[in-house]
Amino acid sequence: MDGAAGSGGVDSRASWKTAWLVLAILTVSYGSPLLIVVGMKPMQEALGTERSVLALAGALVWVGTGSGGILMGWLADRIGLRTTVTIGACMIAGGLALSSLGSIWALYIGHGLMIGFFGNGGVYPPLLVYVSRWFERRRGAAIAFISSGQYVAGVLWPALFELGLGAIGWQALMLAYGGLVLAFMLPAILFLKPPPKAPVAVAPRHAPAPGQRHRVAGFHPNVAQALICLAGFCCCVPMAIPSAHIVAFCGDIGIKPTHGAAMLSVMLGCAFLARQAWGALADRIGGLRTVLAGSACQAVAIACFLLTQDEAGLFAVSAAFGLGFAGIIPSYSVAIRDLFPGSEASWRMPLTLFTAMSGMAFGSWFAGTLYDHFGYYAWAFGLGVLFNLLNLTIVGFLVLRTGGTGRTLFWPTARRVA
């Protein structure tokens, strides 16, 4: 990290000031993929293409963010966090400018490579690891708090984007928002201070004897990591379907676009409010068990989208969906810090985010593909239910393997290393 040593220690007032600053940065950076969500129908009409084509462009942002986070998280430890996040801000603005040219190839490169891989990939995963180093006792709450930038963006921007689409069109709106990204993020990055030095690690209560290896939930650490990644993919497929298609879905069934944008804001606003409670729960019961609880709530809510097309009912279901899925992604990050040494966080956390965001990408794209084939979204919501049940199976299995309660999740082997 570049700059002088940060003031304040772990879990201090300076830690929470840092969290607020990061929340503001993420609120602006996460507005960029919402442009295509709010503008999907007018963009489809202007470009004369299928909805799955635009859904794929939005999906590429998630794939790019996750895969780029692995590289950019590694890079942040070598060239400094400020430099990495500055690159990300510039690439988000450049990606919006390229996407505004109005061709499909520009949309894909602008969203997938620039806004996703180098843009949000250089902003969110490195900042997530950075904030986790400012906290120990309240890490779950802090990670949930800064991850809410996506939801604050979802509350703040859709209604403004809907007004902008009507006033200046989607291409000019992309250029204007790119300018806002640079005007806000570049000065804000200068206030990011180095995290405090990590406290001296205390050996786990069940630490292995010399010559033994740690096992995580009874598995080799990388096997446990793979299971967590698979679970993250499966839970994010259903998470993406309403998040990416709710505005278009409302337009299809005769609900005004402004009401659809408001429904998205309600969903993400409820997610922001609930996320703080999920973060506090993760501090008490651990990240993995919080994932299980949040996924169960999400499964019920995604199934409810199959039961109503009434506007009031959809507002209620959207709110419930936001309340349910709010704590899942930050809790995966808490689970990684629970399960693995902190020295491995800079690659394990971005890897987990990559697979989760790949699930978001797949869910967004495949829902658009199913819509193009059938002409309605029921099949997409049904697919979401199936993936959610698979996630619950994997996470429930891992929870059982960690012994039920408590947060000491390292499992030593009984076999000595030769």
Side-chain angles (χ1 to χ4, degrees), residues 293-309:
S295 181
C297 294
Q298 177 181 268
V300 174
I302 189 74
C304 288
F305 278 104
L306 291 166
L307 304 178
T308 182
Q309 292 189 357

Side-chain angles (χ1 to χ4, degrees), residues 39-217:
M40 187 173 289
K41 288 198 73 170
M43 289 176 68
Q44 180 186 5
E45 294 168 2
L47 297 174
T49 188
E50 295 181 329
R51 192 164 297 181
S52 59
V53 172
L54 291 174
L56 178 59
L60 289 174
V61 174
W62 297 108
V63 175
T65 300
S67 56
I70 299 172
L71 170 65
M72 302 300 273
W74 173 85
L75 199 61
D77 285 340
R78 285 152 182 82
I79 66 174
L81 180 78
R82 288 178 182 169
T83 303
T84 307
V85 180
T86 298
I87 292 171
C90 293
M91 295 303 289
I92 290 171
L96 288 169
L98 181 61
S99 297
S100 72
L101 295 179
S103 67
I104 299 301
W105 70 266
L107 203 64
Y108 284 168
I109 295 174
H111 274 67
L113 185 64
M114 298 180 72
I115 296 176
F117 190 92
F118 290 110
N120 281 313
V123 175
Y124 178 53
L127 285 176
L128 191 67
V129 176
Y130 166 70
V131 168
S132 77
R133 291 170 175 163
W134 277 92
F135 292 87
E136 184 65 34
R137 186 174 57 86
R138 300 296 306 280
R139 182 180 292 138
I143 288 177
F145 179 73
I146 64 113
S147 297
S148 299
Q150 178 184 354
Y151 303 143
V152 179
V155 173
L156 177 64
W157 300 119
L160 296 176
F161 288 164
E162 186 63 41
L163 292 174
L165 287 168
I168 61 176
W170 66 270
Q171 291 168 294
L173 183 60
M174 283 188 174
L175 288 172
Y177 194 76
L180 175 64
V181 167
L182 293 178
F184 179 82
M185 289 183 63
L186 294 184
I189 289 165
L190 299 176
F191 292 93
L192 294 172
K193 298 178 180 180
K197 292 182 179 180
V200 177
V202 178
R205 183 161 46 92
H206 300 298
Q212 291 183 325
R213 290 185 304 180
H214 273 119
R215 294 177 74 83
V216 178

Side-chain angles (χ1 to χ4, degrees), residues 29-38 58 61-62 96 111 115 120 161:
S29 72
Y30 266 119
S32 54
L34 289 174
L35 280 159
I36 204 168
V37 174
V38 178
V61 174
W62 297 108
L96 288 169
H111 274 67
I115 296 176
N120 281 313
F161 288 164

Side-chain angles (χ1 to χ4, degrees), residues 217-238:
F219 297 108
H220 185 283
N222 290 342
V223 173
Q225 175 78 52
L227 288 171
I228 292 171
C229 288
L230 178 60
F233 180 91
C234 290
C235 79
C236 285
V237 171

